Amino acid sequence: MEKKLSWKQALLLFSLIFGMFFGSGNLIFPVHLGQIAGAQWGPATVGFLLSAVILPLLALVALAVTRSESVFDLIRPLGHRPATIFLVALQLCLGPIIVAPRTATVAYSFSFANWLPKGQQQIGLIVFSMIYFILVYWSSTQSTKLLDIIGRYLNPIFLAMLAFIFILAIISPMGSTHQAVTTAYQGNAIAPAFIEGYNTVDAMAGLIFGVTIVHSIQKLGYRKPGEIATVIVKTGTLSMVVLAVVYVGLILLGTTSLAHMPISSNGAVALTNVMLYYFGRFGQIFIAVMGTLAVFTTAMGLTASFARDLNRVWPKVSYKGWLAFASLLAFIVATLGLDKIIVWAAPILMFLYPIAIVLILLSLLSPWLGQGRFLYGWALGLTLIAAVFDGLSNAPFAKDLGGLVSYTVGTTTHVGWYQTHIFGASVGFGWIGFAFFGIVIGLICQKLFGTKTKS
């Protein structure tokens, strides 16, 4: 007899999933999007929700459909070595190289960066990041208590704080939504907002967090693959619906803030200014607590998943050993500061996101298409080609590539060969055509030279 999910278990798992997804990028990028989209906030919201909510939900469903515990299982049809390479690349980039250190820098930007003099900012960031990742390591070693720490204590406090801000904004809005629109959003606002949603990294986080979510569900007594899949779909959908509501509120905060302030350099600055407008000095303390709670849970989830996955691949190094490595590397990267992390994250995300999206799509279609090596090899292989160009287009050194890709100097954009000749490449979607032809060729090869593997 199938075990029924109780409402207490559902709420606890919802809080766990929501807390793991909602981190630094989820807090600051919607606010910044609201500012740069201005009066186009409506279509921009649609584009953002497609990549920041729908894709992550599909990632969780993909895990459920294929009954996988992690991204390693999803990409295994390519073979053990490609699966290992992709897993390690994904975990390194989204864990200790980008997202985990970004959580620390955002927490610092919300807190001590506002209180320390300019000359002490760097040393302040180093000390803060060191303490931050020591706490992340300690919390993540309490693996048996991970569900309780995130679900019962941290997230309810954070959600209450966030709800209070939205209620205040509804009662006393900063201004109207009819604000100036930046150049990138004056045409089709959905496409650039979809790309902006990459910064949340939630589609790839859904793949990474799968192992932690599955382990937590198993600890609640669900052992059968079918039961686990059902629980993931139910609680994941609830989490993403709430996440969508939060995003809409943050985007509107950003848009209406333009009535009293200019467009900020990043979302952390924008949200801090919003808090100052409503609460004055107290607002800085408020956002420091709220922001740190939000990003800390994500850092825990990322480092724990990193350690579990790499311990699974290379068991000679213990879980705590990999956890210490992730925490140390994240600390080192965090000392570079938020601005540099954001700049270098762009090309990495533009490279990895198309691959992750195609992998999610293949997994969702696996009951009908199977999981054959020909299909996965051609689809992901051709997507990889376009992903390399997308990544180079957003790299700081793009202008040194001899016109191969587009780059911007000041307000002037120089259009490259890739964006000129590949359909959709000018708006970041050149990979779609590559993926489509890869799937078609893969299916033909699968039909001619092999049989599809049952999912």
Side-chain angles (χ1 to χ4, degrees):
M1 183 177 179
E2 184 174 329
K3 184 177 179 179
K4 186 177 180 180
L5 184 70
S6 70
W7 68 269
K8 288 185 177 180
Q9 291 174 331
L11 287 178
L12 192 58
L13 288 170
F14 150 74
S15 186
L16 170 69
I17 296 172
F18 181 90
M20 285 186 166
F21 275 106
F22 199 86
S24 58
N26 314 77
L27 191 58
I28 65 176
F29 287 110
V31 180
H32 186 62
L33 175 63
Q35 288 196 325
I36 59 181
Q40 285 281 69
W41 71 271
T45 299
V46 172
F48 189 84
L49 293 183
L50 285 174
S51 60
V53 173
I54 300 301
L55 281 181
L57 178 58
L58 292 179
L60 292 179
V61 175
L63 289 169
V65 168
T66 58
R67 298 182 177 182
S68 302
E69 288 193 357
S70 73
V71 65
F72 184 87
D73 296 328
L74 289 183
I75 204 170
R76 187 179 290 173
L78 277 182
H80 185 273
R81 182 170 296 177
T84 300
I85 293 174
F86 183 74
L87 171 67
V88 174
L90 199 63
Q91 285 284 19
L92 279 172
C93 292
L94 302 183
I97 291 181
I98 294 180
V99 183
R102 191 174 69 185
T103 64
T105 56
V106 168
Y108 177 74
S109 297
F110 283 151
S111 56
F112 292 95
N114 297 310
W115 307 322
L116 293 175
K118 188 174 181 179
Q120 297 180 10
Q121 288 293 324
Q122 185 59 33
I123 187 64
L125 175 61
I126 292 174
V127 174
F128 179 88
S129 299
M130 182 183 298
I131 297 174
Y132 181 90
F133 283 109
I134 288 175
L135 291 175
V136 166
Y137 172 82
W138 177 83
S139 299
S140 298
T141 57
Q142 313 301 307
S143 56
T144 58
K145 299 179 180 178
L146 181 61
L147 186 62
D148 288 339
I149 293 173
I150 296 179
R152 294 184 179 178
Y153 303 113
L154 298 184
N155 283 301
I157 297 174
F158 163 71
L159 287 174
M161 290 180 174
L162 201 60
F164 182 69
I165 295 175
F166 290 158
I167 292 173
L168 188 59
I170 293 173
I171 297 174
S172 178
M174 298 180 69
S176 72
T177 56
H178 301 290
Q179 303 295 335
V181 182
T182 58
T183 303
Y185 289 82
Q186 290 177 356
N188 178 12
I190 294 179
F194 185 93
I195 300 298
E196 184 73 14
Y198 287 4
N199 287 304
T200 67
V201 303
D202 278 351
M204 292 182 286
L207 301 176
I208 288 178
F209 288 153
V211 60
T212 301
I213 294 171
V214 169
H215 276 287
S216 297
I217 293 173
Q218 289 173 337
K219 288 173 184 175
L220 293 177
Y222 299 89
R223 301 294 179 182
K224 297 179 181 178
E227 291 180 341
I228 295 174
T230 300
V231 173
I232 287 178
V233 172
K234 287 181 179 179
T235 55
T237 299
L238 176 61
S239 301
M240 292 305 153
V241 169
V242 175
L243 196 59
V245 173
V246 173
Y247 283 151
V248 173
L250 289 171
I251 290 171
L252 285 173
L253 275 180
T255 300
T256 56
S257 71
L258 294 176
H260 294 276
M261 62 190 69
I263 295 177
S264 304
S265 59
N266 59 63
V269 174
L271 193 54
T272 299
N273 288 337
V274 168
M275 297 304 298
L276 283 171
Y277 173 84
Y278 280 117
F279 301 108
R281 183 71 172 175
F282 173 75
Q284 289 184 330
I285 300 175
F286 192 91
I287 193 63
V289 175
M290 184 187 74
T292 301
L293 285 175
V295 302
F296 188 79
T297 55
T298 299
M300 285 175 58
L302 282 169
T303 53
S305 292
F306 177 92
R308 287 185 191 279
D309 273 353
L310 268 69
N311 174 250
R312 178 182 178 185
V313 177
W314 292 294
K316 289 185 178 180
V317 180
S318 68
Y319 166 78
K320 289 187 177 181
W322 285 118
L323 191 65
F325 170 79
S327 301
L328 178 60
L329 182 57
F331 159 69
I332 294 172
V333 175
T335 60
L336 298 177
L338 179 59
D339 290 340
K340 288 185 178 179
I341 291 176
I342 291 177
V343 168
W344 283 101
I348 296 174
L349 294 177
M350 290 298 291
F351 169 72
L352 287 175
Y353 243 87
I355 300 172
I357 293 174
V358 174
L359 179 60
I360 292 170
L361 178 62
L362 290 173
S363 300
L364 292 172
L365 296 177
S366 63
W368 300 276
L369 302 183
Q371 294 177 292
R373 189 164 187 172
F374 283 117
L375 174 61
Y376 275 60
W378 277 102
L380 293 172
L382 291 188
T383 301
L384 179 64
I385 296 174
V388 170
F389 283 99
D390 286 332
L392 292 175
S393 300
N394 290 268
F397 51 81
K399 63 180 181 297
D400 300 322
L401 299 176
L404 184 64
V405 295
S406 297
Y407 62 93
T408 301
V409 178
T411 59
T412 304
T413 299
H414 302 269
V415 181
W417 178 90
Y418 175 67
Q419 283 74 16
T420 302
H421 293 87
I422 303 300
F423 175 76
S426 60
V427 289
F429 297 118
W431 58 270
I432 293 179
F434 284 78
F436 174 78
F437 285 110
I439 292 175
V440 171
I441 296 173
L443 288 174
I444 293 174
C445 291
Q446 186 170 270
K447 184 72 173 179
L448 294 176
F449 306 114
T451 57
K452 68 178 183 178
T453 303
K454 291 183 179 180
S455 60

